[in-house]
Amino acid sequence: KAVVSTQSTGVTADAENDEFAKYFNCETSPKILVTTNKKSSLETRKLLDELVNVMPNSEYVKRGKVDMKNLVKQAVENQYSHIVVLNEDLKKPNSIVVSHLPEGPTATFRLTSVKLKKQLKRHGNATNHRPEVILNNFKTRLGHSVGRMLGSLFHMDPEFRGRNVVTFHNQRDFIFFRRHRYVFKKNAKVGLQELGPRLTLKLRRLQKGTFDTTGGEYEWYHNHKNMDVSRRTFFL
């Protein structure tokens, strides 16, 4: 199961009954539709290929001219549990939308500091084994919800034989994603070899329900004018 680190009180009871409990209790497995904006660049498609490789039971579906509302409808009809949409600006990936089906929630993250596997020095090659999942330092109720949403993209029954681990580490509201493999050395020492990709997420909004830019109700929305005033206030 996922390794979850949190310092907030009261969130454990919430987690037992939230929309992601069935994944963390191994009652069901995710089935993920991964796509892009309507006209994606080569850089975006390269990252998309690596994300599909990272997430077990995920499948790339070409967006074409389908709008998000109809894409969600098709995904629900085909029994997908999540939609992950990789968006871009100036031909570079700049945001990720994660929507849990069929009733939400939907999170939008700003995407920065992207490095593909080939850009990492001495990177390893991942196997097809299901990874261990580590969710670290999500302290608030909002943070706990976001962490569990990201964790639900993965099977909660890791295949430890593959020695693969994915980590979502929250630090000052920046979520650092890494994928490693345990490397056993001499004298019983254990090291980590990065497998890639490497990226950083920052939550922009959390919306009730599935993707709706006009009539959607937001659980949380980042207002930089009011929220970025203090460097000591964090939300995750």
Side-chain angles (χ1 to χ4, degrees):
K1 294 186 178 182
V3 177
V4 181
S5 172
T6 179
Q7 297 178 10
S8 178
T9 58
V11 297
T12 302
D14 296 342
E16 292 177 354
N17 300 306
D18 71 6
E19 54 270 87
F20 308 117
K22 59 186 177 181
Y23 302 102
F24 283 79
N25 294 334
C26 298
E27 297 171 3
T28 189
S29 298
K31 180 184 177 183
I32 306 164
L33 185 156
V34 184
T35 190
T36 65
N37 53 297
K38 292 183 178 180
K39 294 183 179 181
S40 58
S41 65
L42 179 60
E43 287 297 312
T44 297
R45 292 195 296 273
K46 285 180 179 179
L47 177 58
L48 181 138
D49 288 342
E50 295 202 11
L51 291 178
V52 170
N53 179 261
V54 166
M55 295 183 293
N57 216 25
S58 63
E59 178 184 7
Y60 166 62
V61 176
K62 189 174 181 180
R63 176 77 173 272
K65 297 182 179 180
V66 181
D67 61 28
M68 279 299 300
K69 186 176 182 179
N70 285 320
L71 186 64
V72 168
K73 182 180 179 181
Q74 293 175 15
V76 171
E77 290 174 350
N78 287 282
Q79 298 184 326
Y80 286 97
S81 64
H82 302 72
I83 289 182
V84 175
V85 183
L86 186 59
N87 293 310
E88 66 177 47
D89 184 42
L90 300 177
K91 297 186 177 182
K92 290 187 177 181
N94 72 329
S95 72
I96 291 180
V97 178
V98 180
S99 187
H100 179 247
L101 304 177
E103 297 178 350
T106 299
T108 301
F109 301 91
R110 183 165 59 104
L111 176 64
T112 57
S113 304
V114 175
K115 283 195 174 184
L116 302 178
K117 180 178 73 173
K118 291 184 178 180
Q119 296 173 303
L120 301 173
K121 294 182 179 179
R122 296 183 291 276
H123 67 81
N125 294 313
T127 64
N128 292 325
H129 296 89
R130 294 189 296 270
E132 179 184 0
V133 180
I134 296 176
L135 307 173
N136 188 48
N137 207 35
F138 293 93
K139 298 180 179 181
T140 67
R141 275 188 168 82
L142 174 64
H144 202 65
S145 297
V146 170
R148 286 174 64 81
M149 186 180 195
L150 294 171
S152 72
L153 295 169
F154 298 85
H155 291 269
M156 290 297 113
D157 53 343
E159 296 174 315
F160 292 107
R161 181 183 300 178
R163 297 176 285 135
N164 294 334
V165 56
V166 297
T167 302
F168 293 95
H169 172 71
N170 173 51
Q171 185 173 342
R172 301 173 70 88
D173 287 349
F174 289 93
I175 303 171
F176 299 94
F177 172 82
R178 301 289 186 270
R179 179 168 60 155
H180 293 90
R181 179 175 60 189
Y182 295 114
V183 177
F184 297 99
K185 302 178 181 180
K186 295 180 180 179
N187 302 321
K189 293 184 178 180
V190 180
L192 289 173
Q193 182 181 35
E194 193 166 2
L195 303 176
R198 179 192 298 180
L199 52 88
T200 302
L201 304 173
K202 188 170 178 64
L203 182 66
R204 309 310 293 179
R205 50 190 172 269
L206 183 65
Q207 181 181 1
K208 293 182 179 180
T210 54
F211 189 85
D212 187 347
T213 56
T214 56
E217 180 181 353
Y218 291 98
E219 296 185 34
W220 185 88
Y221 192 96
H222 181 263
N223 186 326
H224 67 90
K225 291 183 179 179
N226 297 326
M227 295 180 175
D228 293 343
V229 176
S230 174
R231 295 185 179 182
R232 296 182 179 181
T233 302
F234 304 106
F235 301 95
L236 302 183

